[in-house]
Amino acid sequence: MKGFASDNYSGVHPQIMKALADVNVDHATAYGGDAYTEKAVQQFKHLLGEQVEVYFTFIGTAANVLGLKALTQPYHAVICAETAHIHVDECGAPERFTGCKLLTVSTQDGKLRIADIEKFQSLVDFEHHVQPKVISISQTTELGTLYTPDEIKALADYAHSHNMYLQMDGARIANAAVALNMPIKNFTFDCGVDVLSFGGTKNGMMYGEAIVFANASLCENFKYIRKQGMQLASKMRYISAQFSAYFSDDLYLKTASHANAMAQLLVEKLTPIPEIEITQKPAANAVFAKLPKAIIKPLQEEYFFYEWDEQNHEVRLMCSWDTTETEIENFVSLIKKLLKTTEA
């Protein structure tokens, strides 16, 4: 059943699936020593800068956790929004595997600001307190909002001036690039990001994420951290080949553009309905809206989605690379039908 639950629910793009079949021949050196992985790494360097270092993992949680582990000691702390994926949806994995404490900040839009995190400087150099070491942001955020390059640079400059790092969860990094209309490098490493979790699963890949470090000095001995973290793929070519196809002919931008456009269409269709309130300015492929309580469950029976805030009847509607205009038209028509039914 298709719906608007998550861009994780969508299938694999045909070009990605073909790439998997194309490399499924003969033998290839295991653990990343193959030509396919070398090609994908070079594509990352072309996209993000020759100085970056790239390591593949299976899933986004691992990319976040292992990237953070490379930057921290167990007495350190990671500052993040209270809505951050590393805080809400990773089952305590960051705390368990890094040993660090997460220091969360309440925000209205999922975005961190310097004024929100300055208070944590009172912890510095006091042996009874964890020591802030990383500022972690998501691009796009878990509320579907977007950091500007200036906002990212400001956070990076603040982090570096206070002996900290800036880590970015880029699970939807392609959607952000389309929304900003700029190359990914321009709002990541050019702005001072130290470690980037580069996602593809939510945008047409089968599985596979990349941890990208700004330079080699940040990932000394990381190959051992990845192995201990159980993320060293033996048949790595099946991750690498997906990224190669993902980058070829800008497929990653095309799929993200479609998902973003479908979200904008959904907003256009929902906005005129007086009973519906769009709660966050939609920047990419996520739409947050308050719906009348009476229609939520009947809607979910036809088009599944998640309630983000049950108390306020706020829902999250995600569009994917394979969302169609017809699905949106039918979804909105069902909303109108249900509203008439409840009024009657």
Side-chain angles (χ1 to χ4, degrees):
M1 181 178 67
K2 293 185 72 171
F4 300 93
S6 174
D7 36 11
N8 267 331
Y9 280 41
S10 59
V12 180
H13 192 281
Q15 288 176 235
I16 301 292
M17 193 67 80
K18 181 179 183 302
L20 287 166
D22 288 345
V23 299
N24 193 36
V25 293
D26 300 325
H27 285 206
T29 305
Y31 304 111
D34 58 277
Y36 306 107
T37 298
E38 176 59 26
K39 177 183 176 181
V41 168
Q42 291 305 315
Q43 287 174 294
F44 267 99
K45 288 178 175 288
H46 178 74
L47 186 72
L48 300 175
E50 290 299 319
Q51 80 288 348
V52 302
E53 296 291 329
V54 183
Y55 294 84
F56 297 129
T57 67
F58 290 106
I59 58 175
T61 294
N64 284 331
V65 171
L66 297 183
L68 289 171
K69 185 169 179 60
L71 303 178
T72 58
Q73 295 294 329
Y75 54 84
H76 285 144
V78 177
I79 302 169
C80 64
E82 66 177 2
T83 53
H85 199 274
I86 61 172
H87 175 57
V88 177
D89 288 311
E90 295 186 354
C91 197
E95 292 97 331
R96 178 175 184 181
F97 290 99
T98 68
C100 295
K101 182 178 180 62
L102 298 184
L103 301 174
T104 62
V105 174
S106 176
T107 73
Q108 292 297 313
D109 57 4
K111 294 166 61 172
L112 291 180
R113 294 166 177 82
I114 292 174
D116 298 325
I117 60 181
E118 286 179 317
K119 62 183 178 181
F120 296 118
Q121 283 305 305
S122 65
L123 307 177
V124 173
D125 201 28
F126 190 41
E127 63 199 59
H128 297 286
H129 296 160
V130 290
Q131 298 298 290
K133 193 61 179 179
V134 181
I135 299 171
S136 177
I137 62 176
S138 299
Q139 180 77 321
T140 59
T141 75
E142 289 76 10
L143 295 183
T145 53
L146 194 66
Y147 285 94
T148 67
D150 287 343
E151 289 171 332
I152 295 169
K153 187 177 187 306
L155 287 169
D157 289 346
Y158 180 85
H160 298 155
S161 67
H162 290 82
N163 193 32
M164 293 191 291
Y165 298 109
L166 181 65
Q167 183 259 358
M168 178 181 286
D169 180 345
R172 297 182 175 94
I173 195 75
N175 301 93
V178 169
L180 290 169
N181 192 28
M182 65 174 58
I184 293 174
K185 180 175 180 287
N186 289 21
F187 62 91
T188 56
F189 297 112
D190 284 353
C191 290
V193 170
D194 295 295
V195 181
L196 168 66
S197 294
F198 194 110
T201 308
K202 291 178 168 63
N203 194 36
M205 284 176 47
M206 179 181 288
Y207 64 89
E209 312 284 310
I211 307 172
V212 188
F213 294 91
N215 56 65
S217 68
L218 296 170
C219 55
E220 185 178 2
N221 297 322
F222 184 75
K223 61 183 179 181
Y224 306 113
I225 293 174
R226 180 173 62 172
K227 177 64 176 181
Q228 279 197 334
M230 297 167 282
Q231 290 294 310
L232 177 61
S234 56
K235 297 185 179 180
M236 198 178 294
R237 58 174 153 161
Y238 295 99
I239 297 177
S240 308
Q242 290 182 72
F243 274 115
S244 285
Y246 193 56
F247 293 140
S248 295
D249 298 321
D250 289 337
L251 177 63
Y252 71 110
L253 296 178
K254 293 173 183 175
T255 47
S257 293
H258 178 80
N260 288 11
M262 291 298 98
Q264 291 300 318
L265 178 62
L266 182 56
V267 170
E268 290 174 15
K269 299 292 184 181
L270 293 177
T271 300
I273 303 174
E275 295 89 345
I276 293 178
E277 176 190 351
I278 305 299
T279 57
Q280 296 288 343
K281 183 179 179 180
N285 65 321
V287 178
F288 288 79
K290 289 183 180 179
L291 305 182
K293 180 181 179 180
I295 74 169
I296 291 177
K297 291 196 180 300
L299 262 179
Q300 288 176 318
E301 291 174 2
E302 297 294 328
Y303 294 91
F304 187 69
F305 53 85
Y306 287 106
E307 282 193 76
W308 187 261
D309 182 346
E310 292 187 29
Q311 184 175 357
N312 293 308
H313 317 308
E314 183 182 24
V315 304
R316 187 189 74 166
L317 305 170
M318 295 299 304
C319 294
S320 304
W321 69 268
D322 61 350
T323 301
T324 67
E325 292 186 19
T326 299
E327 288 164 355
I328 290 174
E329 293 281 359
N330 292 342
F331 179 67
V332 175
S333 294
L334 181 57
I335 288 176
K336 292 177 179 178
K337 178 182 177 181
L338 289 170
L339 285 173
K340 287 181 179 180
T341 302
T342 56
E343 288 173 2

